[in-house]
Amino acid sequence: MRYARVHVDIAAKGLDRGFDYYIPEDYPCAVVPGLCVSVRFGPRTLEGLVTDVLDETDVPTDKLRPLGLPRLDGRAVSEELMQLAKWMARQYHCSLSTALRPILPPGARSDKARAVTRMCPELIVTKEAAQLFIDTCPARFSRQIALVSLLLQDADLAAISQALPDWRQSAKSLEKKGIVRIAAQTVERTPYENITASTEAPKQLTEAQARAVSRIQSAVAAGQGEYYLFGVTGSGKTEVYLQCAKYAMELGKSTIILVPEIALTPQMVQRFRDRFGESVSVL
């Protein structure tokens, strides 16, 4: 019999340790450190991460429970990330559960928010009836006309909210007329909401920018070098980042841009989406 020591995802100081479970003989995948699993913990089923695989345990046999099913199709967190989480817990005096959460892959935690429910307007009449309303409605109901027009064009909630910030009042009036209803819809959350990517060509570099780009690109190609880029606000540092990132991509590498404050995220996402399109992800 082999055993798995599991760190359960629960933020309680007294429970910041591993708990042993026995591994059933017919377990569906290899049990290794870093495997995400579901386990019975008291009366609940919780997510956890295997931190060790053991040949022996001090827990009495009658107290042991079987290791629950693997999550993420049996994929495991790498040893490097496991060591990083343990270092974070020591360095920042937090629980290991707290340190593990940021490194878990998407979907590892069942309570991870992946979508949001929003109230959205939708037509409940035929397109012909909606068009008739637009054609015959008095001009003083311009907002109601605009809302029905947007719905006829299959506009999503973001587009409706941008064109008609007060659409709810118009929707309620249309609901009373039997033209529209306001219903709950599940909307996938996206960091690109209200950000429209365009195609932006690299800008002509100044002499100082060109020197910086050349030195950094040489270091990237050699797989070495650390540089600190000096420049006042508006001097064009972001363009240097963009062109160096493009060069790294051409070499088959990737780039992480660390944004110094969260308020700058939409602005930076816009710049990088304009240059790289769908290649940009927000972490």
Side-chain angles (χ1 to χ4, degrees):
M1 182 74 70
R2 302 187 74 206
Y3 309 92
R5 184 155 292 164
V6 178
H7 211 96
V8 180
D9 184 16
I10 185 168
K13 188 174 181 180
L15 301 178
D16 186 29
R17 61 184 179 85
F19 294 86
D20 292 354
Y21 294 80
Y22 75 84
I23 303 173
E25 292 184 2
D26 58 349
Y27 201 76
C29 70
V31 179
V32 295
L35 180 68
C36 299
V37 293
S38 295
V39 293
R40 290 292 295 171
F41 193 82
R44 296 178 291 172
T45 298
L46 300 176
E47 280 70 50
L49 206 66
V50 175
T51 55
D52 293 286
V53 178
L54 312 168
D55 292 322
E56 297 180 352
T57 178
D58 295 331
V59 181
T61 305
D62 60 337
K63 300 290 186 182
L64 284 170
R65 287 180 168 182
L67 185 65
L69 292 175
R71 299 181 60 80
L72 305 174
D73 300 323
R75 289 181 288 122
V77 173
S78 70
E79 176 63 21
E80 291 82 3
L81 284 177
M82 291 285 291
Q83 292 302 322
L84 173 62
K86 292 176 181 178
W87 175 86
M88 288 166 60
R90 294 192 304 270
Q91 180 75 6
Y92 301 112
H93 303 283
C94 65
S95 69
L96 184 56
S97 292
T98 300
L100 286 169
R101 286 175 187 171
I103 74 169
L104 291 177
R109 299 181 65 209
S110 59
D111 62 344
K112 186 175 181 68
R114 302 181 64 86
V116 63
T117 300
R118 294 175 177 167
M119 302 307 294
C120 305
E122 57 184 42
L123 288 173
I124 56 174
V125 296
T126 63
K127 291 186 175 181
E128 291 75 14
Q131 187 60 55
L132 179 62
F133 171 81
I134 292 171
D135 295 338
T136 60
C137 186
R140 67 179 183 273
F141 300 118
S142 58
R143 285 187 173 82
Q144 294 181 30
I145 295 171
L147 179 57
V148 174
S149 298
L150 287 166
L151 293 174
L152 268 179
Q153 298 167 29
D154 295 322
D156 60 18
L157 183 60
I160 292 171
S161 298
Q162 186 172 7
L164 294 171
D166 58 347
W167 64 265
R168 290 170 182 79
Q169 183 176 351
S170 300
K172 287 178 181 178
S173 299
L174 290 165
E175 199 170 31
K176 293 177 181 178
K177 297 176 181 178
I179 298 172
V180 162
R181 70 178 172 190
I182 304 174
Q185 292 184 8
T186 300
V187 181
E188 291 293 328
R189 300 199 301 179
T190 169
Y192 310 126
E193 192 171 9
N194 301 323
I195 294 178
T196 304
S198 59
T199 303
E200 177 190 88
K203 293 181 170 57
Q204 183 67 37
L205 297 175
T206 65
E207 184 178 346
Q209 286 175 316
R211 284 199 305 270
V213 167
S214 177
R215 291 188 63 180
I216 295 171
Q217 288 182 349
S218 296
V220 170
Q224 60 187 20
E226 296 177 358
Y227 292 91
Y228 192 103
L229 190 64
F230 289 88
V232 299
T233 301
S235 60
K237 297 186 296 295
T238 302
E239 185 62 31
V240 173
Y241 306 148
L242 286 162
Q243 296 208 16
C244 290
K246 182 175 185 297
Y247 182 72
M249 290 178 65
E250 291 171 350
L251 296 178
K253 300 176 183 291
S254 58
T255 302
I256 295 178
I257 303 295
L258 302 179
V259 181
E261 54 183 285
I262 197 166
L264 294 176
T265 304
Q267 173 186 332
M268 291 297 285
V269 171
Q270 182 73 68
R271 288 293 303 275
F272 278 82
R273 289 267 291 179
D274 285 348
R275 190 67 58 90
F276 298 109
E278 298 298 325
S279 297
V280 178
S281 294
V282 179
L283 306 180

